[in-house]
Amino acid sequence: MTSEVHAVEHWEADVLLRDGRVAQLRPIRAADAALIVEFYARVSEESKYFRFFAPYPRLSDKDVARFTTVDHDRRVAFVVTLHGEIIGVGRYDAITDDEAEVAFLVEDAHQGRGVGQLLLEHLAQAGRERGLLRFIADVLPSNARMQQIFREMGYQVEGMIEDGVQRLSFQIEPTDMAIGVMRAREQRAEAASIERIFRARSIAVIGASRRQDSIGQAMVRNLVLGNFSGSVYAVNSQAEAVSGLPAYKTVQDIPGEVDIAIVAVPAESVNDVVLDCAAKGVHGLIVISAGFAEEGPEGRQRQRALLGLSRSYGLRLIGPNCLGFINTAPDLQLNASLSPAMPPQGRVGFFCQSGALGTAILESVSRRGLGLSTFVSAGNRADVSGNDLLQYWQEDDATEVVLLYLESIGNPRKFSRIARRVSRTKPIVAVKSGRSTQGVPVGHSVARTSAPQSAVDAMFRQAGVIQVDTLDEMFDVAQLLAHQPLPRGNRISIVGNSDAVALIVADAAAASGLRVNEPVSLGANANADDFEVAIDEAIASTDTDALVAVYIPPLNTTGEEVADVLAAIGEQSDKPIVSTFLGTEGVPVLLRVPDLLGGSAGRGSVPSYSAPESAVRALSRVVNYAEWAAREHGEFHLSLDHRTGDARALVRQVLAAAPRGAILSTDQVHALLACYGIDLWTWINVHNREEAIAAGEKLGWDVVLKAGSEHLRSRPDIAHIWRGIRNADEMGAAWDQLTSWTGMRKDTKFFVQRVAAEGIQVSFSVTEDPLFGPLVSFGLAGAPSELLGDRSYGIPPLTDLDAEAMIRNLRSAPLLYGYRGSEPADVDALQDIIVRLAAMKDDLPEIAELDLEPVSVHGTGYTALSARAKVMPSTDRRGEWYVRRLSQPPVSGDTLT
C-alpha cells in the first residue's frame, strides 16, 4: 500500500522526554534522508553493532532509501527529533498478518532519556490500528539496556535464545501493567518539566526597561525585592543597565546558564526571543506579553506559531498573556510574577488562568494568612495547564493542598484521570467559572462540547475534587485543609458563648447533612478556663469528629486568653477545629501556631470564619472529601467477558461500507452489544400487516407491536404500543388501529417483540463528546426525568463503585430501592450494564452515540427492549489512552473564544 492510502497525521505528537524536555515524534519521511545520515554519523560504533549485530559504520544510499520509504501500514517508522535533529528512530516490519518485527536506535547522547520507550509506545499503538497483535524483537544478549526497555514496558515478554540472539516476543494489546507503567512515566516527565521552571536558579527578563511603569521593570523589581536567591539578568537592546543590573542586548550575550526566560516584549517580537532563548539553551518561557489568542483569529494563529516554535526547540511555555508564577521555598523566594506582594510560605499550591484575577487571589491569600507553596497564572495556557501542575504537585513535599480556579478545561478526560489519583493523598479544591453559561474566556482554545453542566459536576465528583462555587468558599475550605486534620466522620460538637450563634451553626450543620451533638452553651461571661474544659471534653468524646468553637467577646475584651486556649488545643488535637472568633476571616494571628517550616501559620492553627454558615459549609465539604478519600474506589473491569476485537471488526466493517458514518442495523446493534455481554431483547422490524403477523408467529405470540419512530419517544400522550397480542386476528386488529391513530407519520417504523416482564423503565446513553471524549449517562426513562434533568453522568473508564454512585446520585433513585414498599430493582444488573457500556465506549471512539432505552429492570434482572447506535470515523482520541503526548490546541473552527 502507498502512504496516500493511510492517514498518519494523528501519529505526529509533541512528547516529553524523561528530563522534561519537549521533543517531536512523527512518521519518517522520504525527505529525512539527509537527517538520517547525520543522525547515524553521531551514533557510536557499539550502538550500531547492537542494532545490526555486525560492524556497520555507515549507511549506503540503498539503506537510506529503505529506511525512509515506508507504507505506513505493513512497514511503519517513527523518528524523534529535537531542535530539528533526529535523536532516535524506531520501526516495525510486518512478517505475518498479525505479527511484526520491531527495532529502534537512539543516539548515544540521548540514551537514558526515555526515547526508546516513547518510540515503542507509539509503534505499538500504530500496530494496533493496523490490526497487529504481536511484536518480535531480536536483541543481542549483551545489549542489556535494550532488553530492559522491552521488559519494563509492562507487557508479558517471552524470550528464547536462537543462534546466539535473544528473541523477545510479546502481545501489544495494552495490559493494566503496561498502562500503569506509561502513566507513571508520564507523571515523572511532566513533573520534571515543571520542576525545571519552579526550581530555576537563573532568570533572564527580556523586555526589562528603565521605565517605572513597564512590565519588564516590574518583573525585575519583583524578582529582586522578593529576595530571589538566584541570578537575575536584564535583557534590553537599548539600555546599558536596568534597576541597577547590567543589561544585555540578547539572551545569548549573558554569561553562564539561563534556566528560564520571562518575556515582556510586543507580541510580534516574541518569536525572535524564542529563537534567542533556544540558542542559549533556556529550559522554559514565561510569556507575559498579550496580543495572542485573546485578540481573535490573527492572535490565535500567532499563539499557535509560538507554541509550535517553543516545542520544536524543547521549551515549555507558561502563558502567553499571563501573570507569571511564584515559588515561596525559603531557598529560592522566586517571585516571577507581576504581583508585587510575595505571599507567605505555606502548604497550598494554587493554579489559575486569568492574570487580572491572579492579583486579587494573591491579595486575598495574604489577607487571610493562607500560605502558598507555589502559584501559577497560566493566562491563555497555550502549553502548561492545570494538568501539568497536578502532575508536579502530586510528588511535591511542600504542597499538601491544591487549589484550582478553572475558567476552562482543555482536556477533561486527562484531568479526571490525574485528579482522581492526586485526590487520594492530597485534597483538590476547584472553582469552575461559567457554570451557568458554559462560557469560555477569550483566548482559551477549547473544543466545543454539548455536555451539560451536570457532566462537569460528575467529573469532579468522580475524581474526588472538592467543587465550590466562589473564591471565598475556596479559601474557606483551603484554610481548614491546610491547618487542621481531616475528620473521621460527620458528627460535630458546638462549644460557644452565644446561644444564638450556636443555633445558627446547628441549623446550618443539619442542613448540610452533618450530625449535630447537643451544643454546649457556656454563657456570655465564659472565660478561657470555661472554654478549655468544655472543648477538651468535646474533643475527647467518641461521639465527636469535629468541633465548631463560637466566641463573641464581651465588651472591652480582646479574647486573647480564649485564643491561646483554642490555639493550644488545636495544635494537639487529632480532630479538626473551626471557629467563629471575633467575626474575623482567615487565620487570625491570635489563633496561629508557629510553623516549623517558616510559614505564617503552622499545622494546628485554628481557622476563623466571619459567618457561622461559612464555617459549617467548609467543614461539610471537608467531611465529604474525607469520606471519599477513606473509602474503596472499586475496580476497573477491563477484561470481563468482552470481545473487543470482534466489536472493533464490526465497526471497521460498517465504516468500510459507509466511510462518513452510519446508523447500525438491528442485527449490528445486537452483535455490538453482545460483544460486551449485554443481551438485547429480540425485535423484528415490520412494514405491513402481513409482516407483523409473520413476526408474531415466529416469536410464538404473546407479543407487542410498537411504533418506534423517534418523534414518538418524546410524545407520552400517544399510545404507540399494543400489548398482549396472542394470535393473527389480534395482530391484524392491532396493526389497523395503531397505523390509523392520529400522530403516526408516514416515516413511522414498526416492530414486534415478545412481552417482557413488568419493571421500572430506565435509560442508558453513551456519546463521544468533542471535549470530554466518552460519556456515559443513566436515568429513569420518560418525560418526568427529562423535564427535571434527573440524569447522572460518568467519564470512562468507570469502576463498579463509580457505576453504583451514578445510580444513587439520581434524585429518583429511591424508586429503584424499594420506595414505599415496592419490590427493589436489581441494581447490581444496572451497575453491570453501566460498567459494560463504559468499557465499550472507552474501547470504541467511533461509536458517536448509543441509546439503550427502554430497559425494564425488575427484582431479578433486566430486559433491554430497544437500542440505537451510530458510528462515525474518529481520530480525536485514537491512542490517547495508550500513548504519551502533549495536548494540541484544537483548530480555530473547533474553539469557543
Side-chain angles (χ1 to χ4, degrees), residues 183 387 409-419 459 768 771-775 795-797 838 841-843 877 880-882:
R183 298 278 160 71
N387 290 342
I409 306 175
N411 190 342
R413 184 166 160 84
K414 184 175 181 180
F415 171 84
S416 177
R417 168 169 59 84
I418 299 172
M459 176 189 68
E768 183 73 16
L771 178 60
F772 283 84
L775 274 180
I795 299 178
K841 191 67 200 77
D842 201 31
D843 292 338
R877 63 179 175 91
E880 177 267 340
W881 205 244
Y882 304 120

Side-chain angles (χ1 to χ4, degrees), residues 215-456:
I215 291 176
Q217 170 70 243
M219 297 302 300
V220 171
R221 186 168 58 246
N222 293 342
L223 281 165
V224 173
L225 296 182
N227 295 318
F228 174 49
S229 61
S231 302
V232 179
Y233 301 103
V235 177
N236 186 319
S237 60
Q238 305 299 319
E240 296 292 330
V242 174
S243 296
L245 299 175
Y248 299 91
K249 295 188 180 301
T250 69
V251 178
Q252 295 179 70
D253 291 335
I254 297 173
E257 295 184 353
V258 175
D259 292 329
I260 63 172
I262 299 172
V263 182
V265 301
E268 57 271 15
S269 302
V270 170
N271 283 359
D272 291 335
V273 173
V274 174
L275 295 174
D276 188 22
C277 291
K280 182 64 177 176
V282 172
H283 299 158
L285 300 172
I286 318 300
V287 180
I288 309 296
S289 310
F292 291 89
E294 77 279 3
E295 293 194 357
E298 183 179 346
R300 284 199 294 272
Q301 290 296 332
R302 187 180 295 125
Q303 182 167 305
R304 193 171 288 113
L306 168 62
L307 176 62
L309 187 64
S310 300
R311 286 183 174 177
S312 70
Y313 285 101
L315 302 172
R316 296 228 65 182
L317 165 68
I318 293 179
N321 190 32
C322 71
L323 187 74
F325 77 95
I326 294 172
N327 185 351
T328 65
D331 63 329
L332 275 177
Q333 289 290 299
L334 202 172
N335 183 5
S337 80
L338 286 174
S339 172
M342 184 77 165
Q345 182 194 355
R347 298 170 175 80
V348 177
F350 202 122
F351 172 85
C352 71
Q353 293 160 345
S354 166
L357 188 62
T359 302
I361 287 170
L362 290 173
E363 291 175 354
S364 296
V365 163
S366 299
R367 186 181 70 252
R368 284 176 173 252
L370 180 65
L372 299 183
S373 60
T374 41
F375 167 88
V376 175
S377 159
N380 294 357
R381 60 163 183 74
D383 180 22
V384 171
S385 70
N387 290 342
D388 296 290
L389 273 299
L390 286 175
Q391 299 277 40
Y392 172 78
W393 282 323
Q394 178 185 335
E395 302 295 337
D396 179 35
D397 293 336
T399 302
E400 298 177 7
V401 180
V402 172
L403 305 185
L404 305 173
Y405 187 91
L406 303 173
E407 298 171 60
S408 64
I409 306 175
N411 190 342
R413 184 166 160 84
K414 184 175 181 180
F415 171 84
S416 177
R417 168 169 59 84
I418 299 172
R420 185 177 194 137
R421 185 182 68 236
V422 175
S423 290
R424 291 178 181 176
T425 55
K426 298 182 179 183
I428 300 172
V429 189
V431 175
K432 171 64 176 72
S433 66
R435 282 176 53 85
S436 59
T437 62
Q438 289 281 54
V440 177
V442 173
H444 290 213
S445 294
V446 179
R448 296 183 184 276
T449 179
S450 58
Q453 179 59 39
S454 52
V456 180

Side-chain angles (χ1 to χ4, degrees), residues 134-292:
R134 178 178 289 273
F135 274 173
I136 291 173
D138 290 334
V139 182
L140 290 176
S142 57
N143 193 352
R145 174 173 286 181
M146 188 63 67
Q147 293 185 53
Q148 182 181 13
I149 288 175
F150 284 110
R151 296 188 184 280
E152 289 183 351
M153 290 298 291
Y155 296 108
Q156 297 294 321
V157 179
E158 302 170 355
M160 59 177 292
I161 294 181
E162 185 176 320
D163 297 328
V165 175
Q166 181 87 21
R167 168 154 285 203
L168 305 177
S169 174
F170 54 94
Q171 298 276 352
I172 60 174
E173 187 67 23
T175 63
D176 291 352
M177 181 177 293
I179 294 172
V181 167
M182 184 196 72
R183 298 278 160 71
R185 287 173 172 157
E186 174 191 65
Q187 187 274 326
R188 288 194 295 269
E190 293 183 3
S193 71
I194 300 302
E195 184 176 26
R196 292 171 76 113
I197 295 174
F198 276 158
R199 300 296 302 178
R201 289 290 180 178
S202 55
I203 300 175
V205 180
I206 299 94
S209 171
R210 289 176 293 187
R211 295 200 332 268
Q212 292 298 314
D213 60 345
S214 70
I215 291 176
Q217 170 70 243
M219 297 302 300
V220 171
R221 186 168 58 246
N222 293 342
L223 281 165
V224 173
L225 296 182
N227 295 318
F228 174 49
S229 61
S231 302
V232 179
Y233 301 103
V235 177
N236 186 319
S237 60
Q238 305 299 319
E240 296 292 330
V242 174
S243 296
L245 299 175
Y248 299 91
K249 295 188 180 301
T250 69
V251 178
Q252 295 179 70
D253 291 335
I254 297 173
E257 295 184 353
V258 175
D259 292 329
I260 63 172
I262 299 172
V263 182
V265 301
E268 57 271 15
S269 302
V270 170
N271 283 359
D272 291 335
V273 173
V274 174
L275 295 174
D276 188 22
C277 291
K280 182 64 177 176
V282 172
H283 299 158
L285 300 172
I286 318 300
V287 180
I288 309 296
S289 310
F292 291 89

Side-chain angles (χ1 to χ4, degrees), residues 32 180 420 457 516 554 625 658 665 762 784:
D32 289 328
R420 185 177 194 137
D457 297 339
V516 184
Y625 165 74
S665 69
V762 298

Side-chain angles (χ1 to χ4, degrees), residues 728-769:
D729 291 340
E730 291 182 2
M731 177 62 79
W735 179 269
D736 293 341
Q737 289 288 338
L738 203 56
T739 55
S740 64
W741 279 350
T742 302
M744 295 298 176
R745 301 193 312 210
K746 290 183 178 181
D747 62 347
T748 298
K749 299 177 181 178
F750 296 88
F751 59 92
V752 178
Q753 278 185 309
R754 288 193 300 271
V755 171
E758 290 293 325
I760 300 172
Q761 305 284 296
V762 298
S763 164
F764 303 85
S765 179
V766 297
T767 57
E768 183 73 16
D769 185 78

